[in-house]
Amino acid sequence: MRLTIGNNTSETEQTKSFAKWLLDLGEGNIGDTDDLEVTIDIPEDLLIKNSVDPLSSLIDFVYPYLLQLYKNQYYFAERAILAPTNEVIHEINEKLLALFPGEEVEYLSSDSICHTDQAKNPSHANLYSPDVLNGLKISGLPNHRLILKVGVPVMLLHNIDQQNGLCNGTRLRITKLAKRVIEAEIISGGNIGTKTYIPRIT
């Protein structure tokens, strides 16, 4: 995890303190061991105390004033939510997407079975129906159904154009949504502010 230290002295001290706590936690220097169980005191400012809807509280904490600032290219570049599982990420993404104004645009992956495979094994067509295949959610493979709105941040999962900064992990902010192409602005890396077009990829 990288921590950016700003010019503000108070902010710098807070960041250094958090960095030290995080390193100590990772190295196992925090907490008392008792029968292989460890109790760790987490600083109060890192706790989410809303037990009714903790994800909404987390979103409000990480993305304050979202509706006023979501068009600012630096707003999302400085913020991210990390989660332990893809299921949690999908839930956060759905809640966050609902907060954005505008109309949703749905993009679907190709959902037909290759005809050459059907000729070799006709039973595979019944065994692996498009409904089953479209329901799979596998790490590293995009979901069948992608819903976006103008203004939302996205992250590339594959290298598309390394020379122009479109690499795995590059973050972008959607500026236009067309039927077969997405216009976006790069918000991370060396090409911040550059507009780019992402076509439908086979």
Side-chain angles (χ1 to χ4, degrees), residues 186-198:
I186 298 175
I187 60 171
S188 70
N191 295 332
I192 292 176
T194 305
K195 286 258 173 98
T196 188
Y197 297 92
I198 301 172

Side-chain angles (χ1 to χ4, degrees), residues 134-182:
N134 294 343
L136 295 176
K137 292 183 179 174
I138 302 167
S139 181
L141 186 70
N143 293 341
H144 166 65
R145 187 169 176 255
L146 176 66
I147 299 174
L148 297 172
K149 287 183 181 180
V150 171
V152 301
V154 295
M155 181 183 285
L156 294 181
L157 298 178
H158 297 283
N159 294 334
I160 296 175
D161 184 358
Q162 291 181 350
Q163 271 188 323
N164 292 314
L166 297 177
C167 310
N168 180 17
T170 301
R171 296 171 68 193
L172 305 107
R173 188 178 63 84
I174 303 297
T175 52
K176 283 186 186 169
L177 294 167
K179 194 170 184 178
R180 296 189 178 269
V181 71
I182 295 171

Side-chain angles (χ1 to χ4, degrees), residues 53 67 84 128 143 161 169 201:
D53 192 3
L67 294 177
Y128 304 112
N143 293 341
D161 184 358
I201 297 169

Side-chain angles (χ1 to χ4, degrees), residues 41-57:
D41 292 324
I42 298 174
E44 285 289 316
D45 59 328
L46 297 180
L47 295 175
I48 297 173
K49 296 181 180 177
N50 180 353
S51 60
V52 178
D53 192 3
L55 287 183
S56 293
S57 295

Side-chain angles (χ1 to χ4, degrees), residues 30-49:
I30 295 177
D32 298 323
T33 305
D34 182 28
D35 296 332
L36 301 176
E37 290 186 10
V38 178
T39 303
I40 298 169
D41 292 324
I42 298 174
E44 285 289 316
D45 59 328
L46 297 180
L47 295 175
I48 297 173
K49 296 181 180 177

